Amino acid sequence: MSGETLIKPDLQFVERVVAAGGDTVKKCYQCDTCSVVCNLTPDQKPFPRKEMLQTQWGLKEVLNDPDIWLCHQCSDCTVYCPRGAKPGEVLGVLRKMCIEKYATPPVLAKAVGDPKFLPLLIAFPMVLLMLALKLTGHWGIPEGTIVYSHFFPTLLVDFIFVPTFFFAVAVLAKGVMAFWNDINSANPWRVKVEGNLVGNLIATIKDILFHNRFRQCEVTYKRSTNHLFLVFGFIFLLVVTTWGFLNEWVLHHESPYFLLSPIKLLAMAGTASLLYGIWNILKERQANAEKAGYGSYFDWFLIYLIFAVGATGLLSWVFRLVHIPILAYPTYFLHLTAIFMLFFYAPYTKLAHIVYRTVAMLQARMSGRGF
Ligand code: SF4
Ligand code: SF4
């Protein structure tokens, strides 16, 4: 019979959603209030009601639905849902599962999403960095003025962190290309994608950079402002890292830089912005826990990791200024550990949102879904 659709429910998929924190999905009775109150959903084939239904039915193809990435988890829908089904949180769980689906190797994605592997995830970079220090004969606290490159030589830092960065980029690129193919081919929500790819990509990045859509949310509006601080903190620190790299390898300038040098000032502004943003996100999540949900381990892993990067960076600087080597060098070691974790695990953490969301928003823009 033409027009029939064969539905293949996957009960294990439903169990995985429930285990990952989406247990409330079963409460949904399809009233559609969530899609009506959501300020971000397109008029045609709106979310999140359809995703709630697909998840209840065990249709794992929902992970190929780009709409799960158009949601910014503002929780407007969660607040108004008459059944307490928390659609905002369920979509968050689906995004986590989508990241796991496209990540390589999957075992690492599973480990990052599971709290019992946390000690192992921390131990791995620590052992690696200790081994690097031992093997190059730099184990121990150097005498005299605190200079971090005397403890952990810059060449060694580059030798470890440059491949780590490119590993993360390669894993993300592989995942996101597979994701792009899936959302544009065999999914039931396929739409016609056409137009200028580069122009649309620039418009999408601008949209993300200034949080234009995120700022349309109501219940947790402040989250978008805090998120902006975080994003610009990252951008500043990225510029500082690139600047430092060029200074060292192209201009052959020695670090550390003097206190009021432009690179130092930018680093301070970046760290302050990062810490301010993440601190407010932390507070805001706790304050809104009842109406918007407390967030999952997946959310908190990244929040605490970013906090660790900012706090250890700031403390390394302070301990160097007041000259306490016994605290400065171990804190710097922890700072390197946190940065390694941030980069190496990026394709498996919530940080991967940046690329998957960009691709989904690009697809939505190119298919004219209300953008
Ligand atoms: S998630 Fe809640 S608001 Fe949305 S359709 Fe289900 S019951 Fe209604
Ligand atoms: S959490 Fe916000 S953006 Fe996401 S579906 Fe609900 S109302 Fe829409």
Side-chain angles (χ1 to χ4, degrees):
M1 234 167 100
S2 66
E4 278 186 348
T5 305
L6 186 62
I7 291 179
K8 292 187 200 152
D10 182 337
L11 296 182
Q12 278 186 344
F13 172 71
V14 183
E15 282 167 19
R16 281 175 53 215
V17 172
V18 169
D23 50 319
T24 51
V25 68
K26 292 185 172 175
K27 293 185 180 176
C28 172
Y29 61 1
Q30 292 295 309
C31 69
D32 209 18
T33 305
C34 49
S35 297
V36 172
V37 299
C38 178
N39 286 336
L40 304 187
T41 197
D43 293 339
Q44 286 193 338
K45 299 179 180 167
F47 62 86
R49 185 195 64 84
K50 70 179 188 303
E51 285 74 16
M52 294 297 278
L53 181 67
Q54 285 145 7
T55 308
Q56 276 183 334
W57 283 4
L59 303 179
K60 59 176 188 269
E61 297 80 8
V62 69
L63 298 181
N64 300 348
D65 173 6
D67 282 6
I68 63 177
W69 292 97
L70 303 185
C71 158
H72 283 276
Q73 206 169 344
C74 65
S75 301
D76 290 359
C77 55
T78 294
V79 169
Y80 288 102
C81 172
R83 290 278 294 162
K86 299 188 180 166
E89 291 199 10
V90 173
L91 259 56
V93 168
L94 295 176
R95 286 191 290 273
K96 171 185 180 281
M97 291 172 74
C98 179
I99 289 172
E100 274 179 19
K101 177 183 170 187
Y102 291 102
T104 311
V107 66
L108 203 46
K110 287 225 166 10
V112 171
D114 188 340
K116 66 173 184 287
F117 290 103
L118 182 61
L120 208 63
L121 297 179
I122 299 173
F124 169 60
M126 286 186 121
V127 171
L128 182 78
L129 296 178
M130 280 181 197
L131 217 59
L133 286 175
K134 274 265 187 210
L135 292 177
T136 55
H138 289 89
W139 185 251
I141 291 184
E143 300 281 326
T145 315
I146 298 175
V147 180
Y148 289 126
S149 57
H150 292 172
F151 165 65
F152 214 111
T154 315
L155 187 64
L156 195 55
V157 171
D158 293 344
F159 187 74
I160 295 171
F161 284 83
V162 171
T164 302
F165 173 78
F166 283 109
F167 165 78
V169 170
V171 174
L172 278 171
K174 181 174 179 284
V176 99
M177 277 161 69
F179 176 63
W180 177 258
N181 282 338
D182 283 353
I183 62 176
N184 287 300
S185 53
N187 84 59
W189 312 277
R190 187 173 50 200
V191 280
K192 200 172 173 199
V193 176
E194 55 192 357
N196 169 3
L197 180 71
V198 176
N200 279 304
L201 183 60
I202 292 170
T204 303
I205 290 173
K206 259 168 62 185
D207 211 5
I208 289 175
L209 213 53
F210 297 104
H211 288 28
N212 294 339
R213 282 174 55 77
F214 201 169
R215 296 179 84 75
Q216 291 173 34
C217 297
E218 286 170 11
V219 173
T220 52
Y221 174 79
K222 276 191 192 159
R223 188 182 282 178
S224 64
T225 309
N226 299 331
H227 212 265
L228 263 181
F229 275 103
L230 196 64
V231 168
F232 279 94
F234 264 123
I235 292 174
F236 286 0
L237 293 176
L238 193 68
V239 172
V240 168
T241 309
T242 314
W243 190 343
F245 195 81
L246 292 177
N247 259 350
E248 185 199 341
W249 293 106
V250 181
L251 304 172
H252 305 291
H253 286 168
E254 283 282 307
S255 63
Y257 306 97
F258 70 94
L259 192 59
L260 294 179
S261 61
I263 190 168
K264 275 275 177 207
L265 292 176
L266 194 61
M268 282 187 246
T271 309
S273 180
L274 192 86
L275 280 173
Y276 180 79
I278 204 72
W279 177 249
N280 281 313
I281 286 174
L282 214 142
K283 279 198 312 187
E284 188 265 345
R285 270 192 180 268
Q286 280 167 341
N288 281 317
E290 208 164 307
K291 50 182 177 180
Y294 189 66
S296 63
Y297 167 75
F298 189 66
D299 299 319
W300 287 101
F301 180 93
L302 186 65
I303 291 174
Y304 282 122
L305 186 54
I306 294 173
F307 192 74
V309 169
T312 52
L314 184 70
L315 286 173
S316 304
W317 179 65
V318 171
F319 291 146
R320 186 172 68 77
L321 283 185
V322 296
H323 195 74
I324 312 177
I326 195 74
L327 291 180
Y329 288 113
T331 308
Y332 181 66
F333 181 85
L334 291 178
H335 183 55
L336 290 181
T337 304
I339 293 178
F340 183 94
M341 288 178 71
L342 191 68
F343 280 133
F344 191 74
Y345 301 138
Y348 321 104
T349 66
K350 211 173 166 183
L351 208 56
H353 272 215
I354 299 171
V355 286
Y356 287 98
R357 196 185 294 284
T358 305
V359 165
M361 284 173 69
L362 174 68
Q363 201 254 11
R365 182 177 283 277
M366 293 182 73
S367 51
R369 300 199 70 214
F371 278 70

